[in-house]
Amino acid sequence: MSTDWKRFFKFLGTQVDEEASEAPTFSPGDFLAKGLQFVRLSDGSDVAPIESVLESLPVEHLIDIDESLRSYYGTPFRDWPANAMAVIASSKMTSSMRQSLLFLAASHSNGRIREQVLELLPQFPGRLTLAASLIRCADWVPIVRDVAQKASVQLLDLCAGEDVAAIWPLAIRLKVRERLDREWFSSCVEGWMLRSESSQWLLSQFSAKNTKVRAWAYEKSLEANLSIGINLLDSAISDPNPRIALHALRYSAHRCDEGRAQSLAKRGLDAAHPIIRRESLRVLAALDASLPRETIHRMLRDKASGVRSLASFLLRERFSEQAIDYWRSVVDSDVQRPTMGALTSLVDKAEAEDVPRFKRWLDHPRGLVHTLCIRGIVKVDGQFSDAEFLRIVSTPSERLQRELAAIVRRGAIPLDLHRLMATLSADTATSHTRESLRGLLRELSHWDRLAMVLGVHPNGQVELLWFVTVLGDWLADSNCYAPLGPARRSSLLAVLEKRRDEIDDIAYSQIEQAILRH
């Protein structure tokens, strides 16, 4: 049997032509849409020109975009035509569109294509191409990493300084990548920012919103002993992030003379974060054997307990004085409002003689002051008069009412029928007073609560309405598990029987059944 080779090759040529005619064409817009289909803008919206989506994201999130492209099995790269890179490089389009396309192409699942993209990037310097080359410096293919390093070095010199400064949060995040060549990164990438020609852009990193960027700028600048027109230590100690300020303190302790270290620690006493104030006090105490009493007194009034605790130790160690005596003098001398640090510490160390000091501030409008004073009085088993209890219950502070409820639950402040009626019937009782009493009744045990409610004899329409309300509250909770002995059961039934004519028949029957079934 002979083979018609001419016919066979003619058929094969037809197939090749058909396949060539069906080869996918590269559409920049479609490719960009596919690559960004899983991306949401930083404000949570989806509306933005497609070519500006990547530029609108926080630059450090570009690493997440790269990872998402790989985690979805390279969805945008499934129909990647051979002429794609030529189209991206030569077609007429906006700079934003080209930058975005090159960034996405640099995440291609094929290492050879990633290499081709990286070789092309230096021709189009910009924020996104520099970000793409830096990300690929941690690529899993060694050859791609080498090409990415060369492209990054070129782009650092070709890009505008503000673009390099803008991608610095991404560069800092890349430092922890396992495959990144740290020696190269330190020399070429960090070295670019730390060189004298880049001082303008390094200076901008000290005011960056990203805390890690500011920390890097301070640490590297101090380490390299750079002179960039600002006092690095004084600026660092005032930074709101405690990591940065702590680094400045430790640096001064080991690298500066004693006078400079003391000067910096004194500035740290005014820092926003309590850890810095505490550590600054600790440094001062270590450097200055004659630390002034006034400095310790000042820190004894600090809002943070850790600072006050250290100051208390120093006062006892250096001057053989007890901090509680100073706190008492501060609270006694306060006129319009108490010093919160002194009051808080006095509450923690309260003694019976401090009860009048606490009661002095029971009328203060701030709920936290009320709460602390009540806590201090209860701590030393102090007692409250009915008038004081009325003032506390009538105070519209959620913090205070939560504290009062917890204290009543523990039994530290007694709530008996006499106090309940005195508070309920007081001329100064308000709707808030009655609502607070309603809440406090729930803190009593199930049967004590019923006995107290049944003991209430309302005077007037307002008290009657309150009585009906709290009785309904108890009925709503009547199915809870609450063991009841025979003697208490008989007592409650007797009290209920006395109130038969004052209670609705249905409510009476429900209460009676609740008592009998326990």
Side-chain angles (χ1 to χ4, degrees), residues 399-414:
R399 182 199 296 266
L400 175 61
Q401 297 308 322
R402 287 196 300 269
E403 182 75 15
L404 181 61
I407 293 173
V408 169
R409 190 186 312 125
R410 299 197 308 265
I413 294 182

Side-chain angles (χ1 to χ4, degrees), residues 132-169:
S133 66
L134 287 174
I135 291 173
R136 297 272 67 83
C137 288
D139 198 275
W140 58 96
V141 179
I143 296 177
V144 175
R145 288 201 300 270
D146 293 339
V147 177
Q149 289 177 6
K150 295 175 183 177
S152 297
V153 171
Q154 294 179 60
L155 283 167
L156 284 169
D157 290 329
L158 294 171
C159 288
E162 55 265 26
D163 286 338
V164 180
I167 62 93
W168 213 247

Side-chain angles (χ1 to χ4, degrees), residues 291 421 442 485:
L291 186 66
M421 290 304 302
R442 291 191 174 95

Side-chain angles (χ1 to χ4, degrees), residues 35-47:
L36 300 178
Q37 61 182 316
F38 303 107
V39 178
R40 296 186 67 85
L41 301 184
S42 56
D43 60 1
S45 66
D46 296 312
V47 181

Side-chain angles (χ1 to χ4, degrees), residues 71-362:
S71 66
Y72 286 101
Y73 306 102
T75 301
F77 311 116
R78 287 178 181 171
D79 299 321
W80 184 264
N83 68 336
M85 291 311 303
V87 173
I88 295 175
S90 60
S91 295
K92 186 177 181 180
M93 63 181 72
T94 64
S95 175
S96 296
M97 173 70 83
R98 199 185 316 276
Q99 289 274 316
S100 298
L101 289 169
L102 288 169
F103 179 87
L104 294 182
S107 299
H108 199 287
S109 54
N110 188 320
R112 291 185 178 88
I113 294 177
R114 293 199 302 278
E115 184 180 350
Q116 293 173 13
V117 176
L118 289 167
E119 290 172 346
L120 186 64
L121 291 185
Q123 299 179 32
F124 304 99
R127 187 176 304 182
L128 289 178
T129 51
L130 177 56
S133 66
L134 287 174
I135 291 173
R136 297 272 67 83
C137 288
D139 198 275
W140 58 96
V141 179
I143 296 177
V144 175
R145 288 201 300 270
D146 293 339
V147 177
Q149 289 177 6
K150 295 175 183 177
S152 297
V153 171
Q154 294 179 60
L155 283 167
L156 284 169
D157 290 329
L158 294 171
C159 288
E162 55 265 26
D163 286 338
V164 180
I167 62 93
W168 213 247
L170 179 143
I172 298 304
R173 186 177 172 187
L174 278 173
K175 288 186 66 176
V176 299
R177 289 300 176 100
E178 181 179 352
R179 298 184 182 92
L180 184 72
D181 185 337
R182 284 167 177 74
E183 184 177 348
W184 169 85
F185 185 87
S186 176
S187 173
C188 297
V189 181
E190 293 181 318
W192 185 96
M193 185 62 76
L194 296 173
R195 65 182 186 173
S196 58
E197 297 91 336
S198 305
S199 59
Q200 174 188 354
W201 311 115
L202 175 60
L203 193 60
S204 68
Q205 305 305 317
F206 294 105
S207 56
K209 293 181 180 179
N210 189 305
T211 298
K212 292 182 179 179
V213 171
R214 296 201 312 275
W216 175 89
Y218 280 114
E219 291 173 10
K220 291 297 181 179
S221 298
L222 288 171
E223 181 182 318
N225 196 24
L226 297 180
S227 177
I228 55 175
I230 63 172
N231 191 309
L232 288 172
L233 289 175
D234 288 348
S235 178
I237 198 68
S238 302
D239 194 277
N241 185 269
R243 170 191 167 184
I244 296 172
L246 275 176
H247 182 77
L249 274 177
R250 291 164 181 165
Y251 179 91
S252 67
H254 293 92
R255 305 281 290 275
C256 298
D257 58 75
E258 187 173 306
R260 182 69 180 103
Q262 284 191 33
S263 173
L264 190 68
K266 287 178 181 178
R267 291 178 65 94
L269 295 179
D270 296 317
H273 202 285
I275 290 179
I276 307 306
R277 299 197 299 273
R278 184 192 65 196
E279 292 307 308
S280 296
L281 180 59
R282 193 186 305 278
V283 169
L284 275 178
L287 294 175
D288 188 0
S290 58
L291 186 66
R293 181 188 277 106
E294 292 74 16
T295 300
I296 298 177
H297 281 176
R298 173 189 166 195
M299 306 317 290
L300 282 170
R301 300 191 300 270
D302 196 275
K303 294 180 180 179
S305 60
V307 179
R308 298 195 303 271
S309 177
L310 177 58
S312 175
F313 167 78
L314 292 173
L315 186 68
R316 184 171 62 253
E317 181 191 51
R318 302 288 175 91
F319 300 99
S320 301
E321 297 177 7
Q322 297 299 318
I324 192 171
D325 296 327
Y326 177 73
W327 289 324
R328 284 170 178 156
S329 69
V330 171
V331 172
D332 290 343
S333 61
D334 288 331
V335 178
Q336 293 185 341
R337 59 181 181 180
T339 302
M340 295 306 297
L343 180 62
T344 303
S345 289
L346 189 58
V347 168
D348 291 338
K349 306 291 184 181
E351 298 175 356
E353 66 177 274
D354 299 314
V355 170
R357 292 186 175 89
F358 297 138
K359 289 191 174 183
R360 175 189 167 209
W361 296 104
L362 284 180

